[in-house]
Amino acid sequence: MNEQEHYFTADPASAQQRRELAVDLVGRRVTVETAPGVFCPDRLDLGTSVLLREVPDPPEHGDLLDLGCGWGPVTLTLATLSPEATVWGVDVNRRALDLTARNAARLALENVRTSEPDDVPGDLRFGTIWSNPPIRVGKAVLHDMLLQWLPRLLPGGTAYLVVQKNLGADSLHAWLGGTLGSRFATSRLASAKGFRVLAVHHHLAPDEEPA
Ligand SMILES: C[S@@+](CC[C@H](N)C(=O)[O-])C[C@H]1O[C@@H](n2cnc3c(N)ncnc32)[C@H](O)[C@@H]1O
């Protein structure tokens, strides 16, 4: 498979293509389904595991976003940790969306919505965003995507992005700092196993109450 094919494969996987994978999520061994044509179908990606280990607990309520959900490890984690929140697993790959929805159903997580980017209601704002973003799509596409979603963080909310150091984590950090404007502050939350976890915080205005 072409290295980037998983970003564009459209059709849900057939029953023959799907297979079970046992992974540890939120301290529990669970069995999920994955398939060829999605990101890292044979294991929990190392960058994703760094992200999940380093992030603080998500808000308990509201709308939470996993940008680029793949087969769903981040969405499933958010939905498990915040059962009263609505977790949006967003991806351009319909096979990935189908797997995330199936995995949410397997784990009896009723608070997961899967969606292509354009189908997420435009007025939704997110209490947090967790993402292992698609770096390999190239800088221009990645930057557009981040500029589309990060401003949809609620004031007081923080986005957490895991990026491989060798794939430009530090230049992305600098770009975010220079691009998002004074209401946003980007910092490095953690550095482990060749990955950085960047935190993008949306400041409250002086007269603003947290949502
Ligand atoms: C590095 S993978 C992470 C997948 C999953 N979160 C994980 O940790 O295993 C990035 C994901 O972003 C998706 N993606 C690519 N372009 C996107 C876009 N414009 N909007 C949303 N997701 C996108 C890819 O299809 C892929 O599933």
Side-chain angles (χ1 to χ4, degrees), residues 7-9 65-70 88-97 113-126 134 141 144-146 148-149 152:
Y7 292 145
F8 306 107
T9 299
L65 173 66
D66 169 13
L67 182 55
C69 61
W88 293 81
V90 170
D91 209 293
V92 288
N93 179 331
R94 292 217 309 273
R95 178 171 296 188
L97 293 174
R113 307 276 174 283
T114 54
S115 179
E116 293 185 46
D118 288 347
D119 295 335
V120 177
D123 58 349
L124 276 190
R125 295 293 176 268
F126 302 99
V141 175
D144 279 356
M145 183 176 117
L146 294 175
Q148 179 188 348
W149 292 99
R152 295 177 68 175

Coordinates of all heavy atoms in Angstrom, one line a residue, residues 7-9 65-70 88-97 113-126 134 141 144-146 148-149 152:
Y7 N -5.0 8.0 3.9 CA -5.7 9.2 4.0 C -6.9 9.4 3.1 O -7.7 10.3 3.2 CB -4.7 10.4 3.8 CG -3.7 10.5 4.8 CD1 -2.4 10.9 4.5 CD2 -4.0 10.2 6.2 CE1 -1.4 11.0 5.5 CE2 -3.0 10.4 7.1 CZ -1.7 10.7 6.8 OH -0.8 10.9 7.8
F8 N -6.9 8.5 2.0 CA -7.9 8.8 1.0 C -8.9 7.6 0.7 O -9.8 7.8 0.0 CB -7.2 9.2 -0.3 CG -6.2 10.3 -0.1 CD1 -4.9 10.1 0.0 CD2 -6.7 11.6 0.2 CE1 -4.0 11.2 0.3 CE2 -5.9 12.6 0.5 CZ -4.5 12.4 0.5
T9 N -8.6 6.5 1.3 CA -9.5 5.3 1.0 C -10.9 5.7 1.5 O -11.1 6.1 2.6 CB -8.9 4.1 1.8 OG1 -7.7 3.8 1.3 CG2 -9.8 2.9 1.6
L65 N -13.3 16.9 20.5 CA -13.0 16.5 19.2 C -11.7 15.7 19.1 O -10.7 16.1 19.7 CB -12.8 17.8 18.3 CG -12.3 17.7 16.9 CD1 -13.3 16.9 16.0 CD2 -11.9 19.0 16.3
D66 N -11.8 14.6 18.3 CA -10.6 13.9 17.9 C -10.4 14.1 16.4 O -11.2 13.6 15.6 CB -10.8 12.4 18.2 CG -9.7 11.5 17.5 OD1 -8.7 12.0 17.1 OD2 -10.0 10.2 17.5
L67 N -9.4 14.9 16.1 CA -9.2 15.3 14.7 C -8.4 14.3 14.0 O -7.2 14.2 14.3 CB -8.6 16.7 14.7 CG -8.3 17.4 13.3 CD1 -9.6 17.4 12.5 CD2 -7.7 18.7 13.5
G68 N -9.0 13.5 13.0 CA -8.2 12.5 12.4 C -8.3 11.2 13.2 O -7.3 10.7 13.7
C69 N -9.5 10.6 13.3 CA -9.7 9.6 14.3 C -9.2 8.2 13.9 O -9.0 7.3 14.8 CB -11.2 9.5 14.6 SG -12.3 9.0 13.2
G70 N -8.9 7.9 12.6 CA -8.4 6.6 12.2 C -9.4 5.5 12.7 O -10.6 5.7 12.7
W88 N -16.6 13.8 19.2 CA -16.7 13.8 17.7 C -15.4 13.1 17.1 O -14.3 13.7 17.3 CB -16.8 15.2 17.2 CG -18.2 15.8 17.5 CD1 -18.5 16.3 18.8 CD2 -19.3 15.8 16.7 NE1 -19.8 16.7 18.7 CE2 -20.4 16.4 17.5 CE3 -19.6 15.4 15.4 CZ2 -21.7 16.6 17.0 CZ3 -20.9 15.6 14.9 CH2 -21.9 16.1 15.7
G89 N -15.5 12.0 16.5 CA -14.4 11.4 15.8 C -14.5 11.8 14.3 O -15.5 11.4 13.6
V90 N -13.6 12.6 13.8 CA -13.7 13.2 12.5 C -12.5 12.7 11.6 O -11.4 12.6 12.1 CB -13.6 14.8 12.6 CG1 -13.4 15.4 11.3 CG2 -14.8 15.3 13.3
D91 N -12.9 12.3 10.4 CA -11.8 11.8 9.5 C -12.3 12.0 8.1 O -13.5 12.1 7.9 CB -11.5 10.4 9.8 CG -10.1 10.0 9.4 OD1 -9.7 10.0 8.2 OD2 -9.3 9.7 10.3
V92 N -11.4 12.1 7.1 CA -11.8 12.2 5.7 C -12.0 10.8 5.1 O -12.5 10.6 4.0 CB -10.7 12.9 4.8 CG1 -10.8 14.4 5.1 CG2 -9.3 12.4 5.1
N93 N -11.5 9.8 5.9 CA -11.5 8.4 5.4 C -12.7 7.7 5.9 O -12.8 7.4 7.2 CB -10.2 7.7 5.9 CG -10.0 6.3 5.5 OD1 -11.0 5.6 5.3 ND2 -8.8 5.9 5.4
R94 N -13.7 7.3 5.1 CA -14.9 6.7 5.5 C -14.7 5.3 6.2 O -15.5 4.9 7.0 CB -15.9 6.7 4.4 CG -16.4 8.1 4.0 CD -17.8 8.1 3.6 NE -18.2 7.1 2.6 CZ -18.1 7.2 1.3 NH1 -17.7 8.3 0.8 NH2 -18.4 6.2 0.5
R95 N -13.7 4.6 5.7 CA -13.4 3.4 6.3 C -13.0 3.6 7.8 O -13.4 2.8 8.7 CB -12.2 2.7 5.6 CG -11.8 1.3 6.2 CD -10.9 0.6 5.3 NE -11.5 0.2 4.0 CZ -11.0 -0.6 3.1 NH1 -9.8 -1.1 3.3 NH2 -11.6 -0.9 2.0
A96 N -12.2 4.6 8.0 CA -11.8 4.9 9.4 C -13.1 5.3 10.2 O -13.2 4.8 11.4 CB -10.8 6.1 9.4
L97 N -13.9 6.1 9.7 CA -15.1 6.5 10.4 C -16.0 5.3 10.8 O -16.5 5.2 11.9 CB -16.0 7.5 9.6 CG -15.3 8.9 9.3 CD1 -16.1 9.7 8.4 CD2 -15.1 9.6 10.7
R113 N -19.9 10.4 18.2 CA -20.4 10.7 16.8 C -19.2 10.7 15.9 O -18.2 11.3 16.1 CB -20.9 12.1 16.8 CG -22.0 12.5 17.8 CD -23.4 12.0 17.4 NE -24.3 12.3 18.5 CZ -24.4 11.5 19.6 NH1 -23.6 10.4 19.8 NH2 -25.2 11.8 20.6
T114 N -19.4 10.0 14.7 CA -18.3 10.0 13.7 C -18.8 10.8 12.6 O -20.0 10.8 12.2 CB -18.0 8.5 13.2 OG1 -19.2 7.9 12.8 CG2 -17.4 7.7 14.4
S115 N -17.9 11.5 12.0 CA -18.3 12.5 10.9 C -17.2 12.9 10.0 O -16.0 13.0 10.4 CB -18.8 13.8 11.6 OG -19.2 14.7 10.7
E116 N -17.5 13.1 8.7 CA -16.6 13.7 7.8 C -16.5 15.2 8.2 O -17.4 15.7 8.8 CB -17.0 13.6 6.4 CG -17.0 12.1 5.9 CD -17.3 11.9 4.5 OE1 -16.8 12.6 3.6 OE2 -18.1 11.0 4.2
P117 N -15.3 15.8 7.9 CA -15.1 17.2 8.4 C -16.3 18.1 8.1 O -16.8 18.9 8.9 CB -13.8 17.6 7.7 CG -13.1 16.3 7.5 CD -14.1 15.3 7.2
D118 N -16.8 18.1 6.8 CA -17.8 19.0 6.4 C -19.1 18.8 7.0 O -20.0 19.7 6.9 CB -17.9 19.0 4.9 CG -16.7 19.6 4.2 OD1 -15.9 20.3 4.9 OD2 -16.6 19.4 3.0
D119 N -19.3 17.6 7.7 CA -20.7 17.3 8.2 C -20.8 17.7 9.7 O -21.8 17.5 10.3 CB -21.0 15.8 8.0 CG -21.1 15.5 6.5 OD1 -21.5 16.5 5.8 OD2 -20.9 14.4 6.1
V120 N -19.7 18.1 10.3 CA -19.8 18.6 11.7 C -20.5 19.9 11.7 O -20.1 20.8 11.0 CB -18.4 18.7 12.3 CG1 -18.4 19.2 13.7 CG2 -17.6 17.4 12.3
P121 N -21.5 20.1 12.5 CA -22.3 21.3 12.6 C -21.3 22.5 12.8 O -20.5 22.5 13.7 CB -23.2 21.2 13.7 CG -23.4 19.7 13.8 CD -22.1 19.1 13.4
G122 N -21.5 23.5 11.9 CA -20.5 24.6 11.9 C -20.5 25.4 13.2 O -19.5 26.1 13.5
D123 N -21.6 25.4 14.0 CA -21.6 26.2 15.2 C -21.1 25.5 16.4 O -21.0 26.0 17.5 CB -23.0 26.7 15.5 CG -24.0 25.5 15.6 OD1 -23.6 24.4 15.3 OD2 -25.2 25.8 16.0
L124 N -20.6 24.2 16.3 CA -20.1 23.5 17.4 C -18.8 24.1 17.9 O -17.9 24.4 17.0 CB -19.9 22.0 17.1 CG -21.1 21.1 17.2 CD1 -20.6 19.6 17.1 CD2 -21.8 21.3 18.5
R125 N -18.6 24.2 19.2 CA -17.3 24.6 19.7 C -16.9 23.5 20.7 O -17.7 22.9 21.3 CB -17.4 25.9 20.5 CG -17.7 27.1 19.5 CD -16.6 27.4 18.5 NE -16.9 28.4 17.6 CZ -17.4 28.2 16.4 NH1 -17.7 26.9 16.0 NH2 -17.7 29.2 15.5
F126 N -15.5 23.3 20.8 CA -15.1 22.1 21.5 C -14.3 22.5 22.8 O -13.5 23.4 22.8 CB -14.1 21.3 20.6 CG -14.8 20.9 19.3 CD1 -14.6 21.6 18.2 CD2 -15.7 19.8 19.3 CE1 -15.3 21.2 17.0 CE2 -16.3 19.4 18.1 CZ -16.1 20.1 17.0
P134 N -2.5 14.3 10.6 CA -1.9 13.7 9.5 C -0.8 14.6 8.9 O -0.9 15.3 7.9 CB -3.1 13.6 8.5 CG -3.9 14.8 8.8 CD -3.8 15.0 10.3
V141 N -1.7 21.5 3.6 CA -3.0 20.9 3.9 C -3.1 20.8 5.5 O -4.1 21.1 6.0 CB -3.1 19.5 3.3 CG1 -4.3 18.8 3.8 CG2 -3.0 19.6 1.8
D144 N -3.9 24.3 6.8 CA -5.3 24.6 6.6 C -6.2 23.9 7.6 O -7.2 24.5 8.1 CB -5.7 24.2 5.2 CG -5.3 25.2 4.1 OD1 -4.7 26.2 4.5 OD2 -5.4 24.9 2.9
M145 N -5.9 22.7 7.8 CA -6.8 21.9 8.6 C -6.7 22.4 10.1 O -7.8 22.6 10.7 CB -6.3 20.4 8.6 CG -7.0 19.5 9.4 SD -6.3 17.8 9.1 CE -5.8 17.5 10.7
L146 N -5.5 22.7 10.5 CA -5.4 23.2 11.9 C -6.1 24.6 12.0 O -6.7 24.9 13.1 CB -4.0 23.3 12.3 CG -3.3 21.9 12.5 CD1 -1.8 22.0 12.8 CD2 -4.0 21.0 13.5
Q148 N -8.6 25.6 10.4 CA -10.0 25.3 10.4 C -10.6 24.9 11.7 O -11.6 25.3 12.2 CB -10.3 24.3 9.3 CG -11.8 23.9 9.2 CD -12.0 22.7 8.3 OE1 -11.1 22.2 7.6 NE2 -13.2 22.2 8.3
W149 N -9.8 24.1 12.5 CA -10.4 23.5 13.7 C -9.9 24.1 15.0 O -10.7 24.2 15.9 CB -10.0 22.0 13.7 CG -10.7 21.2 12.7 CD1 -10.2 20.8 11.4 CD2 -12.1 20.8 12.6 NE1 -11.2 20.2 10.7 CE2 -12.3 20.1 11.4 CE3 -13.1 20.9 13.6 CZ2 -13.6 19.6 11.1 CZ3 -14.4 20.3 13.2 CH2 -14.6 19.7 12.0
R152 N -11.9 26.7 16.7 CA -13.2 26.2 17.3 C -13.1 25.7 18.7 O -14.0 25.1 19.2 CB -13.8 25.2 16.3 CG -14.1 25.8 15.0 CD -14.7 24.8 14.0 NE -16.0 24.3 14.3 CZ -16.7 23.5 13.6 NH1 -16.2 23.2 12.4 NH2 -17.9 23.1 14.0

